[in-house]
Amino acid sequence: MKRRFMQVDVFSGHPFKGNPLGVVLDGSGLSDEQMRDYSRWSNLSEVTFILPTQERAADYRFRIFSGDTEFPFAGHPTLGTAHAWLAAGGAPRVPGKIHAQCAAGIVPVKFGAAGYAFVSPPLQRTGEFDAQRREAVRAILGVDDSQILATQWVDNGPGWSAVLLDSAQTVLDLKPDASAHRQKWKIGVVGALPGGSDAAFEVRAFNFNHGALREDPVTGSLNAGIAQWLVDSGRAALPFSNRQGTAMGHLGRVDFTLDEGLLWTGGAAATLIDGHIDI
């Protein structure tokens, strides 16, 4: 069956320089296996499927798949799906704000001339790494212990943990290797950019699956968790921005603002493919 489909570039104002997302505008009637089949075949970091919602407070429901795995929440799928839904004629019940239901709950998404922004669900896990994990992560990243300023779990759904390194240049110079630690790891790294830069911090996101590395170009969930950590620990003050994707030739930018007493994570989104997919 042919279904409306969009591929959206998220978290960059430059085409093909953000993080791509596949959005199936009508996922009704699809089985979990059909959703996984498309996600695996697409080779995208995530894809989403928009579905009707039974929640009166929500405008739509969406499911997020990354290969075989379904995430309860992820950042660039939240913004990219909101953009696709609006571009396809969706009309939110509250002007200027979408309420999107995912497995983690209802996520508010603001939109306007400045782009899109969401409020992350509550963190499912926080706190510093234990000594064993810190040492394993240090070895994977290939840094000296003195270059690690702090560690923190920042898991708002996908399972991210984060490491604050001594500089943005250290982050950019990383050549991680998990061949000696063949497990599944989701490690975000962050380092402060020098004064006068167009952003406050440089971020990279590493996914390891039994030694195989996949780096994510721009990661909303990780950035949201990192921002909350940096703000709560007094290392950053709102508003500020993070840069991501530099080491991959991307131009990702994630902006953080305070509104309604909440931390909003935002950026640009643009449709680059609009058509149909046969599922």
Side-chain angles (χ1 to χ4, degrees):
M1 175 179 174
K2 292 190 181 299
R3 298 168 188 265
R4 183 82 182 276
F5 164 85
M6 292 184 188
Q7 192 156 313
V8 181
D9 198 27
V10 185
F11 286 128
S12 182
H14 305 269
F16 310 109
K17 295 295 185 180
N19 198 354
L21 174 76
V23 184
V24 178
L25 274 296
D26 178 13
S28 299
L30 291 175
S31 67
D32 290 2
E33 190 56 31
Q34 286 174 304
M35 294 182 183
R36 291 190 183 96
D37 280 346
Y38 164 56
S39 182
R40 286 190 295 259
W41 174 85
S42 75
N43 204 33
L44 295 169
S45 59
E46 286 105 5
V47 301
T48 63
F49 301 84
I50 298 178
L51 299 157
T53 178
Q54 302 300 318
E55 294 284 346
R56 296 187 62 182
D59 292 298
Y60 58 82
R61 181 166 66 97
F62 70 111
R63 296 178 68 180
I64 307 164
F65 283 85
S66 177
D68 290 327
T69 303
E70 182 173 7
F71 289 151
F73 167 78
H76 102 277
T78 296
L79 293 195
T81 303
H83 169 82
W85 183 76
L86 287 171
R93 303 178 191 190
V94 178
K97 184 183 290 185
I98 294 167
H99 292 85
Q101 180 192 1
C102 60
I106 296 176
V107 180
V109 181
K110 297 191 301 183
F111 62 94
Y116 301 81
F118 65 84
V119 174
S120 172
L123 293 174
Q124 299 179 7
R125 186 174 184 179
T126 62
E128 296 181 11
F129 299 173
D130 60 30
Q132 182 178 4
R133 182 179 180 87
R134 180 183 171 114
E135 174 54 25
V137 169
R138 184 207 64 75
I140 289 169
L141 296 179
V143 296
D144 294 332
D145 192 66
S146 61
Q147 294 176 288
I148 298 178
L149 303 184
T151 65
Q152 185 82 354
W153 284 96
V154 292
D155 180 12
N156 47 22
W160 287 109
S161 59
V163 180
L164 177 64
L165 297 180
D166 58 356
S167 72
Q169 193 59 52
T170 300
V171 172
L172 290 172
D173 289 343
L174 290 173
K175 294 179 173 58
D177 181 358
S179 58
H181 299 270
R182 301 181 71 83
Q183 302 163 237
K184 290 187 176 183
W185 302 84
K186 292 178 75 73
I187 304 170
V189 290
V190 55
L193 284 156
S197 301
D198 62 350
F201 296 90
E202 186 78 39
V203 172
R204 293 178 74 180
F206 301 121
N207 289 276
F208 298 95
N209 189 351
H210 303 290
L213 167 63
R214 180 167 185 166
E215 182 169 355
D216 203 37
V218 203
T219 317
S221 56
L222 171 62
N223 274 281
I226 284 175
Q228 184 173 333
W229 172 36
L230 295 177
V231 170
D232 289 349
S233 63
R235 295 182 172 94
L238 296 166
F240 70 98
S241 300
N242 287 349
R243 200 171 69 184
Q244 191 180 344
T246 309
M248 303 174 67
H250 288 245
L251 297 170
R253 184 184 176 96
V254 186
D255 302 317
F256 308 100
T257 56
L258 181 67
D259 189 25
E260 304 172 1
L262 300 170
L263 190 158
W264 294 79
T265 299
T271 305
L272 299 186
I273 300 173
D274 187 350
H276 292 82
I277 187 168
D278 196 353
I279 302 182

